[in-house]
Amino acid sequence: MLPAWLAIFPPSLRTPLNKLPVSVIESLEEVRIREARPLEISYGGRFAFLTPDGSLTDEHEAGFRPNREDCRAFLEKLTDHSLYAVEEELRRGYVTVAGGHRVGLAGRTVLDGGHVRHLRDVAAFNVRIARARIGSAASVLPELLDPIARTIRHTLLVSPPQQGKTTLLRDLARAISAGEWNHPSARGWRGRKVGIVDERSEIAACERGVPTFDLGPRTDVLDACPKAEGMMMLVRSMSPEVVAVDEIGRPEDAEALREALHAGVRVLATAHASDLADVFERPVLSSLAREGMFGAYVLLSRSGSEVRHRVIGSREAEEEGLRRRRGSWNGVPRDAPRSELRSTPGDRDPGADRPEGTPGLAIKARALPLIRSPASREGGEAP
């Protein structure tokens, strides 16, 4: 059975992609289409160029080269033949299609008052294939628990792009909603009400407001809504116990996170950063981190198809971030040999605490001190 995402391509592009081996299709992460340049794919932490007959090669000269008509047909299919209907998405440089797949766009920008108003002459596309990884949060969630409040700490997931932040965020939301805490001390805890602000329609992949990914039984989603406004809408109208958002970094995001904190809502968020030093250098993230907003940080890195995680507490994160430890394992390219992945002294062996049956997940984690949130310090038990 052909994957649903193939349907977003016009026939001229779908034909060579449909000839890929099943093993490649199942691990496909990105399809990069550039006018008059070889079509490139990324799969399982590797990349290759696609030839006209559907085979893979490292030689870009042999790659299939989409022409202008191919790119025009693809753009028309993405926009349902109406550029006006997706004008806002084009201004932001991406379109999200059914299934949560995000298509990045590059071309000539049209400016208005020094700001991007529109994108025209689109000549490059980056199709990011969205997949749910059920169970990917199983080894991470136990490290994020606040035992007294019977919920999670305020948590920030940190990594460069394409390291698995959104995938992990999605499964954490599902597990929290379903009460799959995966820790002996959490037996008997119920699932929490989760609110997701899905600004890019990637986390839930909603169709007519209904998530197509499994987000758990107690999750509500605001689809295609700006994060800052959406967080406040959820707090006021849906009484979430945990709010999940992707890719924070703007001042209005920080203000909304603070408001959620003061409303007694736990926050689960992601941010682009190479390491903790980057977190403490970015103005918005630095202000939140120095305020002690986050009780736990999850640092993600990939080598090939393996995702590695390191979970550390707030105080340790600040100490590490301010030491400006550049060149850590978190910034190593994904296709680097494993010998180049440098660990931090005191880390446990990867997979030492990995629950049986957890798919494709290795852990690099330090023992966390219990960091009690303001709600915990009051000594009350969460409902």
Side-chain angles (χ1 to χ4, degrees):
M1 182 176 178
L2 297 178
W5 53 261
L6 267 177
I8 71 175
F9 294 98
S12 60
L13 299 175
R14 190 187 314 145
T15 299
L17 288 168
N18 193 29
K19 296 176 182 178
L20 286 169
V22 173
S23 60
V24 174
I25 287 181
E26 289 178 348
S27 61
L28 201 62
E29 298 170 5
E30 289 186 343
V31 178
R32 291 183 174 269
I33 298 164
R34 303 174 175 102
E35 183 180 322
R37 288 160 290 173
L39 191 154
E40 180 186 8
I41 66 168
S42 174
Y43 64 102
R46 295 171 286 176
F47 76 92
F49 299 104
L50 184 66
T51 68
D53 64 3
S55 59
L56 300 178
T57 178
D58 291 332
E59 304 298 327
H60 61 84
E61 294 88 352
F64 166 63
R65 296 172 182 264
N67 58 30
R68 176 161 295 187
E69 287 305 313
D70 295 328
C71 291
R72 182 176 301 167
F74 189 28
L75 183 62
E76 289 181 353
K77 193 167 180 61
L78 289 174
T79 60
D80 198 21
H81 304 279
S82 176
L83 293 177
Y84 177 77
V86 293
E87 185 174 1
E88 178 62 22
E89 287 90 340
L90 292 175
R91 185 184 68 81
R92 292 184 293 188
Y94 67 87
V95 174
T96 305
V97 298
H101 313 296
R102 184 166 67 173
V103 184
L105 309 167
R108 182 181 178 184
T109 61
V110 178
L111 302 182
D112 183 7
H115 299 283
V116 175
R117 181 172 63 87
H118 192 60
L119 191 64
R120 57 176 296 182
D121 298 332
V122 178
F125 307 82
N126 177 27
V127 182
R128 299 180 61 180
I129 307 300
R131 287 189 175 91
R133 303 290 186 189
I134 302 296
S136 60
S139 296
V140 181
L141 185 54
E143 301 286 342
L144 310 181
L145 301 184
D146 182 338
I148 294 178
R150 295 192 175 190
T151 184
I152 62 165
R153 312 164 194 264
H154 300 292
T155 301
L156 183 67
L157 312 181
V158 178
S159 83
Q162 205 183 352
Q163 306 289 296
K165 290 189 300 297
T166 302
T167 302
L168 180 58
L169 178 73
R170 183 186 298 122
D171 201 53
L172 283 169
R174 181 199 61 80
I176 293 167
S177 173
E180 296 179 7
W181 304 105
N182 201 33
H183 194 280
S185 67
R187 288 194 182 98
W189 293 14
R190 66 178 189 179
R192 293 295 170 189
K193 292 180 292 183
V194 178
I196 294 177
V197 184
D198 197 1
E199 183 170 7
R200 294 175 174 83
S201 302
E202 288 182 291
I203 305 172
C206 286
E207 293 185 7
R208 297 187 177 182
V210 180
T212 60
F213 285 127
D214 181 2
L215 298 174
R218 308 189 72 205
T219 299
D220 303 298
V221 180
L222 273 178
D223 186 38
C225 181
K227 286 186 288 290
E229 186 175 359
M231 281 187 273
M232 291 300 94
M233 289 174 63
L234 283 174
V235 169
R236 288 193 296 263
S237 62
M238 302 303 293
S239 65
E241 294 165 294
V242 177
V243 167
V245 293
D246 209 5
E247 298 183 13
I248 64 170
R250 296 174 298 183
E252 55 267 35
D253 298 338
E255 287 305 312
L257 288 172
R258 292 186 183 100
E259 288 296 320
L261 169 66
H262 295 311
V265 178
R266 298 304 168 98
V267 170
L268 181 61
T270 75
H272 285 318
S274 295
D275 52 26
L276 287 170
D278 279 350
V279 171
F280 281 86
E281 286 180 358
R282 293 182 59 184
V284 172
L285 294 180
S286 177
S287 65
L288 292 172
R290 291 173 187 271
E291 292 169 13
M293 171 75 185
F294 301 107
Y297 294 78
V298 183
L299 307 181
L300 288 79
S301 182
R302 289 187 62 174
S303 175
S305 60
E306 181 184 51
V307 179
R308 308 179 76 194
H309 302 79
R310 187 160 64 97
V311 183
I312 63 176
S314 176
R315 184 174 302 174
E316 185 180 5
E318 184 170 4
E319 292 173 355
E320 180 174 324
L322 296 180
R323 283 199 300 268
R324 300 174 60 86
R325 294 175 57 186
R326 297 297 186 182
S328 67
W329 62 270
N330 210 42
V332 175
R334 288 174 50 191
D335 56 353
R338 286 187 58 84
S339 60
E340 295 184 23
L341 293 175
R342 294 187 292 173
S343 61
T344 303
D347 285 346
R348 297 199 294 270
D349 291 336
D353 300 319
R354 176 176 167 184
E356 184 177 353
T358 301
L361 185 65
I363 294 293
K364 278 290 210 179
R366 292 182 181 176
L368 279 175
L370 288 182
I371 302 174
R372 296 182 178 177
S373 67
S376 297
R377 286 196 294 268
E378 294 173 1
E381 183 176 294

